[in-house]
Amino acid sequence: MPDPKRSCFVPIWEAKTENHDAQKTGRGCATGWRPSDSLFLLQKLALWIFRQIGNEQDQWALWIPVLFAAGIVIYFELPSEPSGFWMGALVLLLVGGMARGTQGARGKGIKKFVIPLLVLVLIPVLGVGIAQLRSYVRSAPKIEKEISFARLKGSVIDVSATRTGRARLHIQPLQIEHLKPDELPALIRVTLGSKKHIPEIGDEVEALARLWPPAGPVAPDAYDFARDAWFKQIGATGFIMGTPTIMAQPNKATGWQVWPSVEIEKLRTSIAQKIERAMSPETAPIAIALITGDRDLIDPETAQNLRTAGLAHILAISGLHMALVSGVLFTGLRMVLALFPALVLRYPVKKAAAVLALSGATFYLLISGGAIATQRAYIMVCLMFLAILFDRPALSLRNVALAAIAIMIIAPESVLGPSFQMSFAAVIALISFYEKAGEKIHRLRSNDGAGLQDGFWTPARKAGSYAGGLLATSLIAGLATAPFAQYHFNRVASYGLLGNLLALPLLGFVVMPSAIMALILMPVGAEAAPLWVMEQGVAAMLWVAHWVAHLPHALQTLPTQPGWVLMITVGGGLWLSLWKHSWRWAGAVPICIGFALSWTLAAPDILIDRDGKVVAIKAEEGKYELTAATPFFVIENWLRRTGDARSPQTALAQSEHVSCDPRGCSFVQKNRPRVVILNGPTSWREDCAHADVIVARFYTSWKMRALCKNTKIIDMGSLSRNGAHALFLTDPTTKTNNWEVKTVRTTQGNRPWAIGKAYTNNKTYKD
């Protein structure tokens, strides 16, 4: 009789085959369900998963950048800086364990199980370490409080434009009043109050400025400008009062570490000026953006039309542009050399064309500004042409993995940005699709072409093939980037597929080839003709964008999905794209789950901006009502993050439950908390007796707060220390202090870029 106490569980590394499992578990196992049966089923499932993974060994390397990126994300999500000592000790422990496992492991099963597990842990740990190292390397002084009036002197290293058209300068300060030399930020970003006498790159300026520390997010979990400013070494922002005094240009450059250099910026400016002289005011800004990457001159209405039509990616120099530039150069040179049979027979003209195309791509990278998407595309192009030079496959997911690792090592903070996420999502999805469907597409084309070889059908077949490829490319890229577009921008173009089908042929066949020809002919002053051709193509694209943007319901505003929901969707997409065998379709499950949960973000009941200037209260209908229409940028982001397409002015006009007077504002609605915003303490006792929440635009004492025991109080002290607040009503049935409060400071954690008091290396804050 079987022993009922005997366990049927067999370690995974001892289970060789299904028959072996049955033999080991069948002997001496009692009938009926026992906990060991559940363990056995879990073991069978785990064994099946391990076998599937073992069958895809050639795909394992593709998951290295995924794990590395996961470590970088973990670093930025930590509440405080990890200990460098313990990070190093953990790396040494993992590496030592791997070395020990390869040499002294007695069982092959243990070796196959433990070593991959250690690798799975080691790669994210390295991601955490490289992100922390980058944070340390980019550390620079930043001002800790507002400087109302300060005499500023420094060198201009970049000039751009704001959304209002005013000039924005990045200045390397040489002197700032009230600051010691060792307290000077590496860079400051200031906006000019005057549109006259705008300095040029390389000028040394002196001006009176008002400066602030880099601002934190407009709401908890929103975009963190302070973090981006830390990695860009921007230690202060503000504006220049009056007109700056432009000093003589310095003889030496602003420093090798400043990118882009003054010389390249001057070249970009020269190219832009030639384009402006040759084109109309409507088309020149688009051409300048496509060639130099400078989008500051584009009219806001034009930019909005392009976004609504799903064509905003055209303005961001990325893989599409780099592929067109290098592809035109590569194909053009091969066609020219093919006219000389002696060269073709004696020399590797394909490799010579690859070298020329790579040189052209390098020049394009330099004049385009070097954004993250451009860097990723350039690395991909380099790998592609190097593969041609060494007779290897040019396009593959391995090249994408190498490009991702290179960018993450250089700038790990880019992993959190939409440029990195959307560009890699699109290229991974496209290459994965065409790798897996390539044979079917080739077979379909061959079958279609077998009976359609006459002179009439051949052009139609080729046109249909191109249209089908463009449709598939636009659809796949759009689906791959849609979750990131919702998460970062809260907007989805309803007719993006239509806009791309109409505009991309113009970009590929007219605009970019003529742009390349114009750049080639500019040194001899013969760029007028290709620029005229380029202008016609740009004008046609703008017409397409305007037409598509004005179709009914062309732009949808969606709420920001929680970060963990985005991770579920991304995980499913990577599972579907990186594996080859049929089990990859399991990735569709988390994609569907992520899509279903995309609207699960719990909108705060009350939002308070970091300066207390505006408060948004959610009414019973679910819409926010406002106490003011400014600051415009803050309110616009609040509304957009909750899927509200109203403008701040419209939302203020519809705030029927908010009333304001010189003492402040109040929100009163049945079945909703009563919120009072006070400019001063004159009616403090009265408001404490009736209000559920008081937002005080002044500092309160402990005696004042003691009078309001049943009222939630947010005063200027809390706002200055913790930034913007989000209040969630945890129990709507009662109103007595049932509030969950999230602040920018709590979401940022104790990090070098956090707002408030100064960060120190011993993880404390000083006054």
Side-chain angles (χ1 to χ4, degrees):
M1 182 175 179
D3 183 3
K5 297 183 179 180
R6 182 169 181 176
S7 173
C8 297
F9 178 72
V10 181
I12 291 174
W13 49 82
E14 294 183 9
K16 306 290 185 178
T17 63
E18 293 184 6
N19 293 334
H20 183 73
D21 297 341
Q23 293 172 3
K24 276 195 173 275
T25 58
R27 287 196 299 266
C29 291
T31 58
W33 181 89
R34 294 185 308 280
S36 58
D37 295 333
S38 298
L39 292 175
F40 176 71
L41 292 176
L42 291 175
Q43 174 188 338
K44 295 285 287 184
L45 177 61
L47 182 61
W48 179 82
I49 293 175
F50 289 146
R51 283 176 179 167
Q52 297 300 320
I53 295 176
N55 293 333
E56 305 236 27
Q57 290 189 21
D58 56 336
Q59 302 295 102
W60 288 3
L62 301 180
W63 289 92
I64 293 177
V66 177
L67 296 172
F68 197 75
I72 294 173
V73 173
I74 289 172
Y75 167 77
F76 286 107
E77 291 296 322
L78 291 175
S80 61
E81 289 293 299
S83 168
F85 172 80
W86 290 112
M87 287 291 300
L90 180 57
V91 171
L92 291 176
L93 179 64
L94 292 171
V95 173
M98 292 170 57
R100 177 65 177 170
T102 56
Q103 296 176 1
R106 288 177 293 179
K108 293 183 179 179
I110 295 178
K111 185 184 298 185
K112 291 181 179 179
F113 180 77
V114 174
I115 293 179
L117 183 62
L118 293 177
V119 173
L120 289 178
V121 178
L122 176 62
I123 296 175
V125 170
L126 292 177
V128 174
I130 199 70
Q132 185 176 19
L133 177 62
R134 171 72 172 175
S135 176
Y136 175 78
V137 170
R138 299 300 290 176
S139 62
K142 63 176 182 178
I143 66 173
E144 302 300 335
K145 59 182 179 180
E146 177 184 347
I147 302 177
S148 298
F149 299 97
R151 181 61 58 179
L152 163 69
K153 185 178 181 181
S155 300
V156 178
I157 66 166
D158 188 32
V159 180
S160 58
T162 65
R163 187 166 57 175
T164 60
R166 296 187 180 276
R168 176 180 288 163
L169 310 179
H170 285 74
I171 297 177
Q172 192 175 38
L174 303 174
Q175 180 182 348
I176 298 178
E177 192 177 2
H178 311 305
L179 292 181
K180 299 176 183 178
D182 60 344
E183 296 176 338
L184 289 178
L187 292 175
I188 64 172
R189 194 187 76 174
V190 291
T191 302
L192 288 181
S194 172
K195 296 184 179 181
K196 299 179 180 179
H197 306 293
I198 298 176
E200 297 181 356
I201 295 173
D203 286 351
E204 189 173 297
V205 298
E206 186 174 357
L208 187 65
R210 187 176 182 184
L211 303 175
W212 295 272
V218 298
D221 297 319
Y223 163 70
D224 193 347
F225 172 75
R227 183 183 60 211
D228 281 2
W230 174 265
F231 287 97
K232 294 176 181 177
Q233 295 188 314
I234 298 175
T237 62
F239 64 88
I240 289 178
M241 294 175 283
T243 302
T245 302
I246 300 177
M247 316 296 288
Q249 289 193 355
N251 294 325
K252 60 181 180 179
T254 55
W256 66 268
Q257 75 277 14
V258 178
W259 178 262
S261 68
V262 173
E263 291 75 15
I264 294 178
E265 282 297 317
K266 289 182 178 179
L267 176 61
R268 297 174 67 198
T269 302
S270 175
I271 294 172
Q273 290 173 348
K274 291 184 178 181
I275 295 174
E276 283 183 319
R277 288 195 296 266
M279 291 188 179
S280 67
E282 292 76 21
T283 56
I286 303 297
I288 292 172
L290 292 173
I291 294 177
T292 70
D294 185 0
R295 292 174 282 178
D296 297 330
L297 300 177
I298 299 176
D299 180 71
E301 183 179 354
T302 301
Q304 183 60 44
N305 285 339
L306 290 168
R307 284 193 293 268
T308 306
L311 299 175
H313 65 93
I314 288 178
L315 300 178
I317 297 177
S318 58
L320 174 64
H321 307 74
M322 194 66 72
L324 288 173
V325 169
S326 58
V328 168
L329 291 173
F330 178 72
T331 305
L333 182 60
R334 289 194 68 187
M335 292 176 62
V336 171
L337 294 177
L339 300 175
F340 304 94
L343 292 176
V344 175
L345 294 175
R346 295 182 181 180
Y347 302 102
V349 295
K350 181 179 180 181
K351 296 183 178 181
V355 173
L356 174 68
L358 185 56
S359 302
T362 303
F363 177 75
Y364 191 42
L365 173 70
L366 294 176
I367 66 171
S368 65
I372 291 297
T374 315
Q375 295 175 27
R376 189 270 309 163
Y378 176 73
I379 295 174
M380 284 289 300
V381 165
C382 288
L383 293 173
M384 181 180 69
F385 287 120
L386 287 175
I388 291 175
L389 293 176
F390 291 100
D391 300 316
R392 304 290 295 177
L395 284 174
S396 69
L397 286 174
R398 292 183 181 272
N399 290 350
V400 179
L402 291 174
I405 292 173
I407 290 179
M408 286 188 288
I409 291 176
I410 296 171
E413 70 276 8
S414 63
V415 171
L416 303 182
S419 178
F420 180 95
Q421 296 171 2
M422 297 180 75
S423 60
F424 275 103
V427 74
I428 288 172
L430 288 172
I431 292 180
S432 175
F433 172 79
Y434 284 109
E435 279 186 350
K436 295 174 176 63
E439 294 183 3
K440 295 181 180 180
I441 294 174
H442 179 72
R443 196 181 311 119
L444 181 62
R445 288 179 176 176
S446 299
N447 294 338
D448 289 345
L452 301 174
Q453 294 295 334
D454 58 83
F456 174 77
W457 285 110
T458 298
R461 180 173 56 84
K462 291 184 177 180
S465 177
Y466 174 79
L470 185 61
L471 176 64
T473 299
S474 300
L475 181 60
I476 293 168
L479 291 175
T481 57
F484 302 101
Q486 178 183 353
Y487 182 80
H488 291 286
F489 307 116
N490 309 106
R491 289 169 178 165
V492 175
S494 303
Y495 307 108
L497 184 60
L498 175 62
N500 280 274
L501 286 175
L502 297 176
L504 289 186
L506 293 169
L507 182 71
F509 290 111
V510 180
V511 175
M512 293 308 295
S514 56
I516 296 169
M517 186 59 63
L519 287 173
I520 294 174
L521 296 177
M522 270 185 188
V524 297
E527 72 276 1
L531 285 179
W532 181 86
V533 176
M534 184 180 183
E535 182 175 18
Q536 309 314 307
V538 170
M541 285 198 310
L542 292 179
W543 181 88
V544 168
H546 182 272
W547 178 70
V548 174
H550 287 79
L551 293 175
H553 309 291
L555 188 66
Q556 301 296 326
T557 302
L558 303 176
T560 298
Q561 56 184 314
W564 60 271
V565 173
L566 180 65
M567 291 299 101
I568 291 175
T569 307
V570 171
L574 290 171
W575 192 275
L576 183 62
S577 300
L578 300 186
W579 297 127
K580 291 194 304 184
H581 297 140
S582 57
W583 77 313
R584 63 189 175 88
W585 290 106
V589 175
I591 292 176
C592 294
I593 293 174
F595 177 78
L597 298 176
S598 294
W599 288 269
T600 59
L601 178 69
D605 292 276
I606 302 174
L607 281 165
I608 310 168
D609 89 308
R610 53 180 170 256
D611 298 317
K613 294 180 179 178
V614 62
V615 179
I617 307 101
K618 187 166 65 175
E620 191 173 14
E621 299 79 13
K623 295 284 188 179
Y624 279 119
E625 298 193 6
L626 308 175
T627 61
T630 56
F632 183 87
F633 176 77
V634 172
I635 301 172
E636 185 182 42
N637 275 268
W638 285 355
L639 295 174
R640 194 177 68 232
R641 283 176 56 81
T642 57
D644 194 336
R646 296 178 299 169
S647 67
Q649 294 86 350
T650 302
L652 179 64
Q654 296 176 354
S655 301
E656 57 184 24
H657 300 99
V658 175
S659 58
C660 296
D661 57 34
R663 296 185 304 171
C665 300
S666 62
F667 170 86
V668 181
Q669 185 183 21
K670 187 178 180 181
N671 300 324
R672 293 296 296 163
R674 182 186 179 103
V675 183
V676 176
I677 300 92
L678 295 177
N679 296 328
T682 54
S683 58
W684 184 260
R685 289 181 177 273
E686 177 184 352
D687 291 316
C688 282
H690 300 92
D692 300 300
V693 177
I694 293 180
V695 179
R697 293 169 173 162
F698 51 88
Y699 292 88
T700 60
S701 65
W702 67 269
K703 292 182 178 180
M704 297 175 67
R705 292 191 293 272
L707 297 174
C708 303
K709 294 181 179 180
N710 297 325
T711 304
K712 189 68 179 178
I713 300 173
I714 307 294
D715 69 344
M716 189 54 65
S718 179
L719 294 174
S720 62
R721 290 190 303 271
N722 302 308
H725 283 51
L727 278 65
F728 300 83
L729 188 60
T730 57
D731 186 3
T733 59
T734 60
K735 303 180 182 179
T736 307
N737 289 328
N738 291 294
W739 295 96
E740 177 189 354
V741 180
K742 289 183 67 175
T743 68
V744 165
R745 184 57 176 276
T746 57
T747 55
Q748 281 186 322
N750 187 359
R751 311 309 296 271
W753 52 84
I755 64 169
K757 299 179 182 179
Y759 172 86
T760 59
N761 291 330
N762 62 357
K763 300 182 181 179
T764 60
Y765 289 86
K766 61 183 180 181
D767 291 329

